[in-house]
Amino acid sequence: MTIPAHRIAFGEHLRDLRREHGWASQEAFAHHVGLDRTYISGLERGTRNPTLDVLVKLARGLDVTPSDLLATVE
Amino acid sequence: MTIPAHRIAFGEHLRDLRREHGWASQEAFAHHVGLDRTYISGLERGTRNPTLDVLVKLARGLDVTPSDLLATVE
């Protein structure tokens, strides 16, 4: 399966934001937001397709807005 | 089921953008973006939880960015 460009852009931005906001490991961030590490990994690689509810959860965990989380997505 | 506040905010914003961008009817907009009218209705009422792929489809159909689509979501 080819991963859509918007998922790649989202995943890279999520990874950047996670690191910028002090969560060096996917494991620690996953625990912080109440999601599984493998799911965070899939989001960052673009293989998972998060719902609005998950986007809101991720944004709150990073202390950014949901809109910020999609800033690089076209 | 109580509808989460972020879904209500999203739905109201989607409805506003749809009308502002000239799609008076849910039916016409649904056809334009390739989704079902009942699904658009559910999104606007906050009962549906769209994925990133759907958000991108909606944004393209409205000629806004995915980030714009979540502008009012907290």
PDB file of all heavy atoms in Angstrom, chain A residues 14-35 40 44 52-66 68-69, chain B residues 74:
ATOM      1  N   LEU A  14       4.260  15.236  13.636  1.00  0.00           N
ATOM      2  CA  LEU A  14       4.008  14.689  14.970  1.00  0.00           C
ATOM      3  C   LEU A  14       5.331  14.326  15.649  1.00  0.00           C
ATOM      4  O   LEU A  14       5.550  14.653  16.824  1.00  0.00           O
ATOM      5  CB  LEU A  14       3.108  13.447  14.873  1.00  0.00           C
ATOM      6  CG  LEU A  14       2.850  12.699  16.189  1.00  0.00           C
ATOM      7  CD1 LEU A  14       2.150  13.579  17.218  1.00  0.00           C
ATOM      8  CD2 LEU A  14       2.027  11.425  15.932  1.00  0.00           C
ATOM      9  N   ARG A  15       6.197  13.666  14.907  1.00  0.00           N
ATOM     10  CA  ARG A  15       7.511  13.291  15.472  1.00  0.00           C
ATOM     11  C   ARG A  15       8.307  14.532  15.894  1.00  0.00           C
ATOM     12  O   ARG A  15       8.876  14.575  16.994  1.00  0.00           O
ATOM     13  CB  ARG A  15       8.303  12.491  14.437  1.00  0.00           C
ATOM     14  CG  ARG A  15       9.698  12.086  14.897  1.00  0.00           C
ATOM     15  CD  ARG A  15      10.283  11.011  14.005  1.00  0.00           C
ATOM     16  NE  ARG A  15       9.543   9.760  14.180  1.00  0.00           N
ATOM     17  CZ  ARG A  15       9.761   8.636  13.485  1.00  0.00           C
ATOM     18  NH1 ARG A  15      10.692   8.596  12.556  1.00  0.00           N
ATOM     19  NH2 ARG A  15       9.046   7.562  13.725  1.00  0.00           N
ATOM     20  N   ASP A  16       8.334  15.538  15.019  1.00  0.00           N
ATOM     21  CA  ASP A  16       9.050  16.781  15.351  1.00  0.00           C
ATOM     22  C   ASP A  16       8.474  17.425  16.610  1.00  0.00           C
ATOM     23  O   ASP A  16       9.230  17.821  17.513  1.00  0.00           O
ATOM     24  CB  ASP A  16       8.955  17.774  14.187  1.00  0.00           C
ATOM     25  CG  ASP A  16       9.779  17.353  12.981  1.00  0.00           C
ATOM     26  OD1 ASP A  16      10.633  16.458  13.118  1.00  0.00           O
ATOM     27  OD2 ASP A  16       9.555  17.916  11.892  1.00  0.00           O
ATOM     28  N   LEU A  17       7.145  17.532  16.668  1.00  0.00           N
ATOM     29  CA  LEU A  17       6.509  18.172  17.825  1.00  0.00           C
ATOM     30  C   LEU A  17       6.775  17.373  19.102  1.00  0.00           C
ATOM     31  O   LEU A  17       7.033  17.949  20.159  1.00  0.00           O
ATOM     32  CB  LEU A  17       4.990  18.285  17.611  1.00  0.00           C
ATOM     33  CG  LEU A  17       4.520  19.348  16.614  1.00  0.00           C
ATOM     34  CD1 LEU A  17       3.013  19.197  16.366  1.00  0.00           C
ATOM     35  CD2 LEU A  17       4.819  20.755  17.119  1.00  0.00           C
ATOM     36  N   ARG A  18       6.690  16.048  18.999  1.00  0.00           N
ATOM     37  CA  ARG A  18       6.949  15.204  20.182  1.00  0.00           C
ATOM     38  C   ARG A  18       8.338  15.497  20.736  1.00  0.00           C
ATOM     39  O   ARG A  18       8.515  15.699  21.943  1.00  0.00           O
ATOM     40  CB  ARG A  18       6.817  13.715  19.801  1.00  0.00           C
ATOM     41  CG  ARG A  18       7.284  12.773  20.903  1.00  0.00           C
ATOM     42  CD  ARG A  18       7.016  11.320  20.612  1.00  0.00           C
ATOM     43  NE  ARG A  18       7.648  10.798  19.410  1.00  0.00           N
ATOM     44  CZ  ARG A  18       8.931  10.443  19.306  1.00  0.00           C
ATOM     45  NH1 ARG A  18       9.753  10.596  20.333  1.00  0.00           N
ATOM     46  NH2 ARG A  18       9.400   9.974  18.173  1.00  0.00           N
ATOM     47  N   ARG A  19       9.341  15.520  19.857  1.00  0.00           N
ATOM     48  CA  ARG A  19      10.720  15.752  20.319  1.00  0.00           C
ATOM     49  C   ARG A  19      10.909  17.177  20.837  1.00  0.00           C
ATOM     50  O   ARG A  19      11.525  17.393  21.882  1.00  0.00           O
ATOM     51  CB  ARG A  19      11.695  15.446  19.180  1.00  0.00           C
ATOM     52  CG  ARG A  19      11.749  13.944  18.884  1.00  0.00           C
ATOM     53  CD  ARG A  19      12.587  13.630  17.669  1.00  0.00           C
ATOM     54  NE  ARG A  19      12.715  12.178  17.468  1.00  0.00           N
ATOM     55  CZ  ARG A  19      13.153  11.607  16.346  1.00  0.00           C
ATOM     56  NH1 ARG A  19      13.518  12.349  15.310  1.00  0.00           N
ATOM     57  NH2 ARG A  19      13.235  10.293  16.248  1.00  0.00           N
ATOM     58  N   GLU A  20      10.364  18.142  20.102  1.00  0.00           N
ATOM     59  CA  GLU A  20      10.480  19.556  20.527  1.00  0.00           C
ATOM     60  C   GLU A  20       9.861  19.779  21.901  1.00  0.00           C
ATOM     61  O   GLU A  20      10.315  20.633  22.664  1.00  0.00           O
ATOM     62  CB  GLU A  20       9.743  20.475  19.540  1.00  0.00           C
ATOM     63  CG  GLU A  20      10.484  20.735  18.242  1.00  0.00           C
ATOM     64  CD  GLU A  20       9.579  21.380  17.192  1.00  0.00           C
ATOM     65  OE1 GLU A  20       8.516  21.930  17.577  1.00  0.00           O
ATOM     66  OE2 GLU A  20       9.933  21.318  15.995  1.00  0.00           O
ATOM     67  N   HIS A  21       8.786  19.020  22.180  1.00  0.00           N
ATOM     68  CA  HIS A  21       8.091  19.219  23.444  1.00  0.00           C
ATOM     69  C   HIS A  21       8.629  18.319  24.551  1.00  0.00           C
ATOM     70  O   HIS A  21       7.989  18.152  25.591  1.00  0.00           O
ATOM     71  CB  HIS A  21       6.583  19.066  23.236  1.00  0.00           C
ATOM     72  CG  HIS A  21       5.989  20.241  22.501  1.00  0.00           C
ATOM     73  ND1 HIS A  21       5.224  21.202  23.109  1.00  0.00           N
ATOM     74  CD2 HIS A  21       6.120  20.628  21.208  1.00  0.00           C
ATOM     75  CE1 HIS A  21       4.880  22.117  22.219  1.00  0.00           C
ATOM     76  NE2 HIS A  21       5.403  21.795  21.053  1.00  0.00           N
ATOM     77  N   GLY A  22       9.796  17.736  24.297  1.00  0.00           N
ATOM     78  CA  GLY A  22      10.510  17.066  25.375  1.00  0.00           C
ATOM     79  C   GLY A  22      10.244  15.583  25.549  1.00  0.00           C
ATOM     80  O   GLY A  22      10.709  14.992  26.530  1.00  0.00           O
ATOM     81  N   TRP A  23       9.509  14.988  24.604  1.00  0.00           N
ATOM     82  CA  TRP A  23       9.251  13.554  24.706  1.00  0.00           C
ATOM     83  C   TRP A  23      10.202  12.841  23.760  1.00  0.00           C
ATOM     84  O   TRP A  23       9.896  12.623  22.583  1.00  0.00           O
ATOM     85  CB  TRP A  23       7.791  13.232  24.354  1.00  0.00           C
ATOM     86  CG  TRP A  23       6.832  13.980  25.225  1.00  0.00           C
ATOM     87  CD1 TRP A  23       6.224  15.164  24.953  1.00  0.00           C
ATOM     88  CD2 TRP A  23       6.418  13.619  26.537  1.00  0.00           C
ATOM     89  NE1 TRP A  23       5.449  15.566  26.005  1.00  0.00           N
ATOM     90  CE2 TRP A  23       5.547  14.631  26.997  1.00  0.00           C
ATOM     91  CE3 TRP A  23       6.693  12.534  27.378  1.00  0.00           C
ATOM     92  CZ2 TRP A  23       4.956  14.591  28.264  1.00  0.00           C
ATOM     93  CZ3 TRP A  23       6.103  12.501  28.628  1.00  0.00           C
ATOM     94  CH2 TRP A  23       5.238  13.522  29.059  1.00  0.00           C
ATOM     95  N   ALA A  24      11.377  12.496  24.273  1.00  0.00           N
ATOM     96  CA  ALA A  24      12.394  11.869  23.425  1.00  0.00           C
ATOM     97  C   ALA A  24      11.955  10.491  22.951  1.00  0.00           C
ATOM     98  O   ALA A  24      12.225  10.099  21.817  1.00  0.00           O
ATOM     99  CB  ALA A  24      13.712  11.768  24.170  1.00  0.00           C
ATOM    100  N   SER A  25      11.257   9.746  23.797  1.00  0.00           N
ATOM    101  CA  SER A  25      10.863   8.390  23.403  1.00  0.00           C
ATOM    102  C   SER A  25       9.378   8.313  23.078  1.00  0.00           C
ATOM    103  O   SER A  25       8.538   8.966  23.708  1.00  0.00           O
ATOM    104  CB  SER A  25      11.205   7.385  24.507  1.00  0.00           C
ATOM    105  OG  SER A  25      10.213   7.366  25.513  1.00  0.00           O
ATOM    106  N   GLN A  26       9.066   7.484  22.075  1.00  0.00           N
ATOM    107  CA  GLN A  26       7.662   7.212  21.740  1.00  0.00           C
ATOM    108  C   GLN A  26       6.967   6.568  22.932  1.00  0.00           C
ATOM    109  O   GLN A  26       5.791   6.848  23.193  1.00  0.00           O
ATOM    110  CB  GLN A  26       7.591   6.263  20.533  1.00  0.00           C
ATOM    111  CG  GLN A  26       8.021   6.894  19.227  1.00  0.00           C
ATOM    112  CD  GLN A  26       7.980   5.916  18.065  1.00  0.00           C
ATOM    113  OE1 GLN A  26       7.959   4.707  18.267  1.00  0.00           O
ATOM    114  NE2 GLN A  26       7.975   6.439  16.847  1.00  0.00           N
ATOM    115  N   GLU A  27       7.674   5.727  23.620  1.00  0.00           N
ATOM    116  CA  GLU A  27       7.111   4.999  24.763  1.00  0.00           C
ATOM    117  C   GLU A  27       6.599   5.956  25.848  1.00  0.00           C
ATOM    118  O   GLU A  27       5.462   5.814  26.312  1.00  0.00           O
ATOM    119  CB  GLU A  27       8.205   4.088  25.352  1.00  0.00           C
ATOM    120  CG  GLU A  27       7.787   3.278  26.561  1.00  0.00           C
ATOM    121  CD  GLU A  27       7.123   1.963  26.161  1.00  0.00           C
ATOM    122  OE1 GLU A  27       7.645   1.317  25.241  1.00  0.00           O
ATOM    123  OE2 GLU A  27       6.089   1.620  26.753  1.00  0.00           O
ATOM    124  N   ALA A  28       7.429   6.912  26.207  1.00  0.00           N
ATOM    125  CA  ALA A  28       7.038   7.862  27.263  1.00  0.00           C
ATOM    126  C   ALA A  28       5.870   8.737  26.807  1.00  0.00           C
ATOM    127  O   ALA A  28       4.925   8.987  27.569  1.00  0.00           O
ATOM    128  CB  ALA A  28       8.233   8.735  27.643  1.00  0.00           C
ATOM    129  N   PHE A  29       5.924   9.171  25.568  1.00  0.00           N
ATOM    130  CA  PHE A  29       4.835  10.000  25.046  1.00  0.00           C
ATOM    131  C   PHE A  29       3.532   9.192  24.974  1.00  0.00           C
ATOM    132  O   PHE A  29       2.455   9.697  25.329  1.00  0.00           O
ATOM    133  CB  PHE A  29       5.202  10.571  23.672  1.00  0.00           C
ATOM    134  CG  PHE A  29       4.113  11.407  23.073  1.00  0.00           C
ATOM    135  CD1 PHE A  29       3.710  12.586  23.687  1.00  0.00           C
ATOM    136  CD2 PHE A  29       3.480  11.008  21.898  1.00  0.00           C
ATOM    137  CE1 PHE A  29       2.682  13.355  23.153  1.00  0.00           C
ATOM    138  CE2 PHE A  29       2.456  11.774  21.356  1.00  0.00           C
ATOM    139  CZ  PHE A  29       2.056  12.943  21.974  1.00  0.00           C
ATOM    140  N   ALA A  30       3.641   7.960  24.501  1.00  0.00           N
ATOM    141  CA  ALA A  30       2.462   7.090  24.396  1.00  0.00           C
ATOM    142  C   ALA A  30       1.796   6.938  25.772  1.00  0.00           C
ATOM    143  O   ALA A  30       0.563   7.039  25.901  1.00  0.00           O
ATOM    144  CB  ALA A  30       2.858   5.725  23.848  1.00  0.00           C
ATOM    145  N   HIS A  31       2.597   6.719  26.783  1.00  0.00           N
ATOM    146  CA  HIS A  31       2.073   6.577  28.136  1.00  0.00           C
ATOM    147  C   HIS A  31       1.394   7.877  28.580  1.00  0.00           C
ATOM    148  O   HIS A  31       0.295   7.866  29.148  1.00  0.00           O
ATOM    149  CB  HIS A  31       3.207   6.195  29.090  1.00  0.00           C
ATOM    150  CG  HIS A  31       2.752   5.976  30.500  1.00  0.00           C
ATOM    151  ND1 HIS A  31       2.102   4.829  30.907  1.00  0.00           N
ATOM    152  CD2 HIS A  31       2.815   6.773  31.594  1.00  0.00           C
ATOM    153  CE1 HIS A  31       1.796   4.931  32.187  1.00  0.00           C
ATOM    154  NE2 HIS A  31       2.212   6.090  32.625  1.00  0.00           N
ATOM    155  N   HIS A  32       2.030   8.995  28.271  1.00  0.00           N
ATOM    156  CA  HIS A  32       1.511  10.325  28.636  1.00  0.00           C
ATOM    157  C   HIS A  32       0.126  10.580  28.038  1.00  0.00           C
ATOM    158  O   HIS A  32      -0.745  11.166  28.695  1.00  0.00           O
ATOM    159  CB  HIS A  32       2.525  11.377  28.152  1.00  0.00           C
ATOM    160  CG  HIS A  32       2.092  12.786  28.277  1.00  0.00           C
ATOM    161  ND1 HIS A  32       1.819  13.397  29.479  1.00  0.00           N
ATOM    162  CD2 HIS A  32       1.898  13.745  27.322  1.00  0.00           C
ATOM    163  CE1 HIS A  32       1.477  14.657  29.262  1.00  0.00           C
ATOM    164  NE2 HIS A  32       1.510  14.884  27.972  1.00  0.00           N
ATOM    165  N   VAL A  33      -0.086  10.174  26.795  1.00  0.00           N
ATOM    166  CA  VAL A  33      -1.370  10.443  26.129  1.00  0.00           C
ATOM    167  C   VAL A  33      -2.343   9.254  26.204  1.00  0.00           C
ATOM    168  O   VAL A  33      -3.463   9.337  25.703  1.00  0.00           O
ATOM    169  CB  VAL A  33      -1.195  10.882  24.656  1.00  0.00           C
ATOM    170  CG1 VAL A  33      -0.522  12.246  24.590  1.00  0.00           C
ATOM    171  CG2 VAL A  33      -0.419   9.853  23.837  1.00  0.00           C
ATOM    172  N   GLY A  34      -1.917   8.154  26.809  1.00  0.00           N
ATOM    173  CA  GLY A  34      -2.828   7.025  26.969  1.00  0.00           C
ATOM    174  C   GLY A  34      -3.057   6.226  25.696  1.00  0.00           C
ATOM    175  O   GLY A  34      -4.146   5.680  25.480  1.00  0.00           O
ATOM    176  N   LEU A  35      -2.042   6.170  24.839  1.00  0.00           N
ATOM    177  CA  LEU A  35      -2.128   5.368  23.615  1.00  0.00           C
ATOM    178  C   LEU A  35      -0.979   4.365  23.618  1.00  0.00           C
ATOM    179  O   LEU A  35      -0.061   4.469  24.436  1.00  0.00           O
ATOM    180  CB  LEU A  35      -2.040   6.284  22.377  1.00  0.00           C
ATOM    181  CG  LEU A  35      -3.197   7.284  22.204  1.00  0.00           C
ATOM    182  CD1 LEU A  35      -2.861   8.344  21.152  1.00  0.00           C
ATOM    183  CD2 LEU A  35      -4.488   6.551  21.815  1.00  0.00           C
ATOM    184  N   ILE A  40       1.586   5.002  18.218  1.00  0.00           N
ATOM    185  CA  ILE A  40       2.342   6.245  17.993  1.00  0.00           C
ATOM    186  C   ILE A  40       3.359   6.033  16.871  1.00  0.00           C
ATOM    187  O   ILE A  40       3.508   6.877  15.966  1.00  0.00           O
ATOM    188  CB  ILE A  40       3.080   6.693  19.283  1.00  0.00           C
ATOM    189  CG1 ILE A  40       2.084   6.971  20.427  1.00  0.00           C
ATOM    190  CG2 ILE A  40       3.952   7.926  19.009  1.00  0.00           C
ATOM    191  CD1 ILE A  40       1.133   8.122  20.190  1.00  0.00           C
ATOM    192  N   GLU A  44       3.502   8.044  13.286  1.00  0.00           N
ATOM    193  CA  GLU A  44       4.693   8.782  12.828  1.00  0.00           C
ATOM    194  C   GLU A  44       5.205   8.265  11.483  1.00  0.00           C
ATOM    195  O   GLU A  44       5.827   9.006  10.725  1.00  0.00           O
ATOM    196  CB  GLU A  44       5.779   8.741  13.907  1.00  0.00           C
ATOM    197  CG  GLU A  44       5.369   9.533  15.158  1.00  0.00           C
ATOM    198  CD  GLU A  44       6.456   9.686  16.207  1.00  0.00           C
ATOM    199  OE1 GLU A  44       7.555   9.109  16.036  1.00  0.00           O
ATOM    200  OE2 GLU A  44       6.224  10.390  17.204  1.00  0.00           O
ATOM    201  N   LEU A  52     -10.448  12.295  14.632  1.00  0.00           N
ATOM    202  CA  LEU A  52     -10.469  13.611  15.285  1.00  0.00           C
ATOM    203  C   LEU A  52     -10.266  13.462  16.792  1.00  0.00           C
ATOM    204  O   LEU A  52      -9.512  14.239  17.390  1.00  0.00           O
ATOM    205  CB  LEU A  52     -11.808  14.304  14.985  1.00  0.00           C
ATOM    206  CG  LEU A  52     -12.014  15.668  15.629  1.00  0.00           C
ATOM    207  CD1 LEU A  52     -10.961  16.677  15.155  1.00  0.00           C
ATOM    208  CD2 LEU A  52     -13.421  16.188  15.327  1.00  0.00           C
ATOM    209  N   ASP A  53     -10.931  12.491  17.408  1.00  0.00           N
ATOM    210  CA  ASP A  53     -10.776  12.294  18.864  1.00  0.00           C
ATOM    211  C   ASP A  53      -9.302  12.043  19.230  1.00  0.00           C
ATOM    212  O   ASP A  53      -8.814  12.565  20.241  1.00  0.00           O
ATOM    213  CB  ASP A  53     -11.616  11.111  19.354  1.00  0.00           C
ATOM    214  CG  ASP A  53     -13.123  11.379  19.318  1.00  0.00           C
ATOM    215  OD1 ASP A  53     -13.536  12.468  18.894  1.00  0.00           O
ATOM    216  OD2 ASP A  53     -13.885  10.478  19.726  1.00  0.00           O
ATOM    217  N   VAL A  54      -8.612  11.251  18.420  1.00  0.00           N
ATOM    218  CA  VAL A  54      -7.192  10.969  18.681  1.00  0.00           C
ATOM    219  C   VAL A  54      -6.340  12.218  18.435  1.00  0.00           C
ATOM    220  O   VAL A  54      -5.415  12.512  19.208  1.00  0.00           O
ATOM    221  CB  VAL A  54      -6.691   9.777  17.822  1.00  0.00           C
ATOM    222  CG1 VAL A  54      -5.166   9.680  17.843  1.00  0.00           C
ATOM    223  CG2 VAL A  54      -7.306   8.482  18.327  1.00  0.00           C
ATOM    224  N   LEU A  55      -6.651  12.972  17.382  1.00  0.00           N
ATOM    225  CA  LEU A  55      -5.894  14.208  17.115  1.00  0.00           C
ATOM    226  C   LEU A  55      -6.004  15.169  18.297  1.00  0.00           C
ATOM    227  O   LEU A  55      -5.018  15.801  18.687  1.00  0.00           O
ATOM    228  CB  LEU A  55      -6.418  14.881  15.831  1.00  0.00           C
ATOM    229  CG  LEU A  55      -6.166  14.111  14.532  1.00  0.00           C
ATOM    230  CD1 LEU A  55      -6.889  14.787  13.363  1.00  0.00           C
ATOM    231  CD2 LEU A  55      -4.671  14.010  14.238  1.00  0.00           C
ATOM    232  N   VAL A  56      -7.193  15.261  18.867  1.00  0.00           N
ATOM    233  CA  VAL A  56      -7.396  16.150  20.019  1.00  0.00           C
ATOM    234  C   VAL A  56      -6.588  15.645  21.216  1.00  0.00           C
ATOM    235  O   VAL A  56      -5.938  16.430  21.919  1.00  0.00           O
ATOM    236  CB  VAL A  56      -8.907  16.253  20.345  1.00  0.00           C
ATOM    237  CG1 VAL A  56      -9.142  16.884  21.718  1.00  0.00           C
ATOM    238  CG2 VAL A  56      -9.622  17.054  19.259  1.00  0.00           C
ATOM    239  N   LYS A  57      -6.583  14.347  21.412  1.00  0.00           N
ATOM    240  CA  LYS A  57      -5.815  13.753  22.511  1.00  0.00           C
ATOM    241  C   LYS A  57      -4.309  14.014  22.342  1.00  0.00           C
ATOM    242  O   LYS A  57      -3.616  14.387  23.299  1.00  0.00           O
ATOM    243  CB  LYS A  57      -6.091  12.240  22.538  1.00  0.00           C
ATOM    244  CG  LYS A  57      -5.524  11.512  23.701  1.00  0.00           C
ATOM    245  CD  LYS A  57      -5.892  10.019  23.671  1.00  0.00           C
ATOM    246  CE  LYS A  57      -7.310   9.773  24.147  1.00  0.00           C
ATOM    247  NZ  LYS A  57      -7.532   8.349  24.496  1.00  0.00           N
ATOM    248  N   LEU A  58      -3.806  13.839  21.127  1.00  0.00           N
ATOM    249  CA  LEU A  58      -2.386  14.092  20.847  1.00  0.00           C
ATOM    250  C   LEU A  58      -2.047  15.570  21.060  1.00  0.00           C
ATOM    251  O   LEU A  58      -1.021  15.907  21.661  1.00  0.00           O
ATOM    252  CB  LEU A  58      -2.059  13.708  19.400  1.00  0.00           C
ATOM    253  CG  LEU A  58      -2.143  12.221  19.031  1.00  0.00           C
ATOM    254  CD1 LEU A  58      -2.097  12.056  17.519  1.00  0.00           C
ATOM    255  CD2 LEU A  58      -1.019  11.433  19.693  1.00  0.00           C
ATOM    256  N   ALA A  59      -2.916  16.447  20.553  1.00  0.00           N
ATOM    257  CA  ALA A  59      -2.659  17.886  20.680  1.00  0.00           C
ATOM    258  C   ALA A  59      -2.595  18.300  22.147  1.00  0.00           C
ATOM    259  O   ALA A  59      -1.691  19.036  22.555  1.00  0.00           O
ATOM    260  CB  ALA A  59      -3.745  18.676  19.940  1.00  0.00           C
ATOM    261  N   ARG A  60      -3.536  17.798  22.942  1.00  0.00           N
ATOM    262  CA  ARG A  60      -3.540  18.136  24.379  1.00  0.00           C
ATOM    263  C   ARG A  60      -2.267  17.626  25.054  1.00  0.00           C
ATOM    264  O   ARG A  60      -1.683  18.312  25.886  1.00  0.00           O
ATOM    265  CB  ARG A  60      -4.786  17.555  25.047  1.00  0.00           C
ATOM    266  CG  ARG A  60      -6.042  18.307  24.644  1.00  0.00           C
ATOM    267  CD  ARG A  60      -7.300  17.696  25.228  1.00  0.00           C
ATOM    268  NE  ARG A  60      -8.475  18.419  24.740  1.00  0.00           N
ATOM    269  CZ  ARG A  60      -9.715  17.977  24.786  1.00  0.00           C
ATOM    270  NH1 ARG A  60      -9.987  16.804  25.340  1.00  0.00           N
ATOM    271  NH2 ARG A  60     -10.718  18.708  24.315  1.00  0.00           N
ATOM    272  N   GLY A  61      -1.838  16.432  24.651  1.00  0.00           N
ATOM    273  CA  GLY A  61      -0.632  15.852  25.231  1.00  0.00           C
ATOM    274  C   GLY A  61       0.626  16.632  24.878  1.00  0.00           C
ATOM    275  O   GLY A  61       1.623  16.576  25.597  1.00  0.00           O
ATOM    276  N   LEU A  62       0.574  17.322  23.751  1.00  0.00           N
ATOM    277  CA  LEU A  62       1.730  18.114  23.298  1.00  0.00           C
ATOM    278  C   LEU A  62       1.591  19.590  23.684  1.00  0.00           C
ATOM    279  O   LEU A  62       2.511  20.381  23.442  1.00  0.00           O
ATOM    280  CB  LEU A  62       1.853  18.018  21.769  1.00  0.00           C
ATOM    281  CG  LEU A  62       2.308  16.657  21.229  1.00  0.00           C
ATOM    282  CD1 LEU A  62       2.064  16.579  19.733  1.00  0.00           C
ATOM    283  CD2 LEU A  62       3.787  16.432  21.543  1.00  0.00           C
ATOM    284  N   ASP A  63       0.431  19.959  24.235  1.00  0.00           N
ATOM    285  CA  ASP A  63       0.144  21.357  24.558  1.00  0.00           C
ATOM    286  C   ASP A  63       0.198  22.247  23.309  1.00  0.00           C
ATOM    287  O   ASP A  63       0.761  23.354  23.333  1.00  0.00           O
ATOM    288  CB  ASP A  63       1.114  21.858  25.647  1.00  0.00           C
ATOM    289  CG  ASP A  63       0.538  23.024  26.428  1.00  0.00           C
ATOM    290  OD1 ASP A  63      -0.692  23.195  26.436  1.00  0.00           O
ATOM    291  OD2 ASP A  63       1.329  23.789  27.031  1.00  0.00           O
ATOM    292  N   VAL A  64      -0.375  21.752  22.228  1.00  0.00           N
ATOM    293  CA  VAL A  64      -0.569  22.547  21.003  1.00  0.00           C
ATOM    294  C   VAL A  64      -2.052  22.443  20.639  1.00  0.00           C
ATOM    295  O   VAL A  64      -2.787  21.647  21.241  1.00  0.00           O
ATOM    296  CB  VAL A  64       0.298  22.037  19.824  1.00  0.00           C
ATOM    297  CG1 VAL A  64       1.781  22.070  20.175  1.00  0.00           C
ATOM    298  CG2 VAL A  64      -0.121  20.635  19.373  1.00  0.00           C
ATOM    299  N   THR A  65      -2.490  23.220  19.656  1.00  0.00           N
ATOM    300  CA  THR A  65      -3.887  23.090  19.222  1.00  0.00           C
ATOM    301  C   THR A  65      -3.980  21.988  18.163  1.00  0.00           C
ATOM    302  O   THR A  65      -2.990  21.681  17.477  1.00  0.00           O
ATOM    303  CB  THR A  65      -4.407  24.400  18.610  1.00  0.00           C
ATOM    304  OG1 THR A  65      -3.702  24.643  17.385  1.00  0.00           O
ATOM    305  CG2 THR A  65      -4.227  25.575  19.556  1.00  0.00           C
ATOM    306  N   PRO A  66      -5.164  21.389  17.997  1.00  0.00           N
ATOM    307  CA  PRO A  66      -5.355  20.426  16.909  1.00  0.00           C
ATOM    308  C   PRO A  66      -4.985  21.042  15.556  1.00  0.00           C
ATOM    309  O   PRO A  66      -4.410  20.359  14.697  1.00  0.00           O
ATOM    310  CB  PRO A  66      -6.844  20.084  16.996  1.00  0.00           C
ATOM    311  CG  PRO A  66      -7.156  20.237  18.452  1.00  0.00           C
ATOM    312  CD  PRO A  66      -6.358  21.442  18.877  1.00  0.00           C
ATOM    313  N   ASP A  68      -2.656  23.282  14.998  1.00  0.00           N
ATOM    314  CA  ASP A  68      -1.179  23.242  14.934  1.00  0.00           C
ATOM    315  C   ASP A  68      -0.682  21.862  14.506  1.00  0.00           C
ATOM    316  O   ASP A  68       0.302  21.745  13.771  1.00  0.00           O
ATOM    317  CB  ASP A  68      -0.550  23.524  16.310  1.00  0.00           C
ATOM    318  CG  ASP A  68      -0.694  24.968  16.754  1.00  0.00           C
ATOM    319  OD1 ASP A  68      -0.857  25.843  15.887  1.00  0.00           O
ATOM    320  OD2 ASP A  68      -0.641  25.207  17.979  1.00  0.00           O
ATOM    321  N   LEU A  69      -1.365  20.841  14.992  1.00  0.00           N
ATOM    322  CA  LEU A  69      -0.946  19.467  14.716  1.00  0.00           C
ATOM    323  C   LEU A  69      -1.040  19.146  13.217  1.00  0.00           C
ATOM    324  O   LEU A  69      -0.308  18.298  12.710  1.00  0.00           O
ATOM    325  CB  LEU A  69      -1.834  18.521  15.537  1.00  0.00           C
ATOM    326  CG  LEU A  69      -1.414  17.084  15.756  1.00  0.00           C
ATOM    327  CD1 LEU A  69      -0.017  16.981  16.343  1.00  0.00           C
ATOM    328  CD2 LEU A  69      -2.425  16.387  16.662  1.00  0.00           C
TER     329      LEU A  69
ATOM    330  N   GLU B  74     -10.593  22.745  20.172  1.00  0.00           N
ATOM    331  CA  GLU B  74      -9.621  22.867  21.277  1.00  0.00           C
ATOM    332  C   GLU B  74      -9.389  21.531  21.969  1.00  0.00           C
ATOM    333  O   GLU B  74     -10.208  20.633  21.883  1.00  0.00           O
ATOM    334  CB  GLU B  74     -10.133  23.881  22.292  1.00  0.00           C
ATOM    335  CG  GLU B  74     -10.063  25.293  21.731  1.00  0.00           C
ATOM    336  CD  GLU B  74     -10.581  26.327  22.730  1.00  0.00           C
ATOM    337  OE1 GLU B  74     -11.062  25.948  23.818  1.00  0.00           O
ATOM    338  OE2 GLU B  74     -10.512  27.511  22.390  1.00  0.00           O
TER     339      GLU B  74
END
